[in-house]
Structure formats: C-alpha cells, structure tokens
Amino acid sequence: MRVGMGFDVHRLVAGRELWLCGVKLEHDKGLLGHSDADVAIHALCDALLGAAALGDIGKHFPDNDPQYRGIDSRILLRNVVKLLTIQGYTMVNCDITICAEQPRIGPHVPAMRAELARVIGCSSNNVSVKATTTERLGFTGREEGIAAYAVVLIDNK
Ligand code: MG
C-alpha cells in the first residue's frame, strides 16, 4: 500500500464556469486555467500520481499543450487512473478537502462523490469530499481563488 498527497490552487475570475469534482456549480465566478480548472480533480490526480511516484499532472498534461486547452478534467483523471492501472495499482480510497468561501460546497458533496466514483470506477464509499472556508482569511477567504488538497491510498495487486 502506498499513500499520496496532492495540492492545487486556481484563481477565481468572472466569465468562467465553476467546475469542482466534475460537477458544475452555479456561481458568479469560475476558476481560471488552461483546462476547465477543476482544482479538486487536479489535486486528486497529483495525489494518485504521487502515490505511484509517477510525477505530477504538469508532467503528464502540460498546460502549454494545445490538446489540453479547455479539457474536461475528468478526462485527465481517467487517464491518471489508467496510468496507475498499467502499473498494477488500484485506488483504495481518497479524501479531498476543498477550501472556498463561496459558493457553499456542502449541498453538492453527494453529487461530487458519485461523479468522481463513476470516473475512477470505484464505489462512492471510497471517495470522500469535504469543504471548509478559511474564515475569510487569505486568498481563499477573499474569494480570489479556491484551493484543494487530496490524500489517497493505492494498493498494488
Ligand atoms: Mg491545476
């Protein structure tokens, strides 16, 4: 068994859709990025790659590569899971924490868990999504961006 962790931040700007854990949220701002900027999926991808010592998301999907422009991050996650499968790894569980002042994440957690489980190909029992504000402190508290952390366990069998 191996553990991995991931962390990511994206800037919140007007005129972008807000995608978190493969779910589109209604909000007056969205995350800026080369892809759909799903910060939670990016953290999860980095945790999975880290657990397998396979580098990071920037190595596998460079943000200056036109083929990833505007890409649905669920495709990146699916590809990361495939890379791990090739190495003989399966994900045991993952635990994601999203740091955002707005919008409220809680009501969307069941849909997020279900969608990530669908993409990964596991039970939603093995996918945890949590959210916290940062008490209006820092860039997340000022709603300048959203941060996400992910921890995963993988097993080689
Ligand atoms: Mg990112």
Side-chain angles (χ1 to χ4, degrees):
M1 299 241 241
R2 300 167 62 114
V3 68
M5 76 88 61
F7 171 68
D8 196 24
V9 170
H10 280 265
R11 186 182 295 270
L12 267 174
V13 296
R16 289 270 299 183
E17 293 180 345
L18 177 58
W19 286 87
L20 288 171
C21 297
V23 174
K24 188 182 168 191
L25 278 68
E26 288 306 317
H27 194 45
D28 59 348
K29 290 187 273 189
L31 293 171
L32 184 63
H34 185 69
S35 65
D36 65 5
D38 189 325
V39 67
I41 288 187
H42 294 181
L44 177 58
C45 286
D46 265 355
L48 288 163
L49 290 169
L54 286 173
D56 61 28
I57 194 171
K59 173 187 163 184
H60 292 277
F61 315 106
D63 67 5
N64 55 7
D65 187 332
Q67 71 172 304
Y68 302 121
R69 185 176 168 82
I71 197 169
D72 182 332
S73 291
R74 288 172 291 190
I75 296 169
L76 305 183
L77 176 57
R78 182 95 71 185
N79 285 335
V80 165
V81 170
K82 273 187 201 156
L83 283 170
L84 266 69
T85 302
I86 290 165
Q87 301 289 321
Y89 293 116
T90 54
M91 191 189 80
V92 178
N93 73 301
C94 65
D95 185 18
I96 297 169
T97 300
I98 300 168
C99 303
E101 202 67 36
Q102 291 287 339
R104 306 304 293 181
I105 307 296
H108 305 284
V109 163
M112 290 173 167
R113 293 178 63 203
E115 181 60 6
L116 290 178
R118 187 188 69 78
V119 174
I120 296 164
C122 69
S123 162
S124 59
N125 289 333
N126 300 329
V127 178
S128 165
V129 177
K130 313 191 300 302
T132 184
T133 71
T134 52
E135 299 285 336
R136 307 209 67 83
L137 293 168
F139 68 87
T140 53
R142 292 188 297 269
E143 299 176 45
E144 295 167 0
I146 293 179
Y149 301 83
V151 176
V152 304
L153 192 67
I154 62 171
D155 196 3
N156 197 335
K157 50 183 178 181

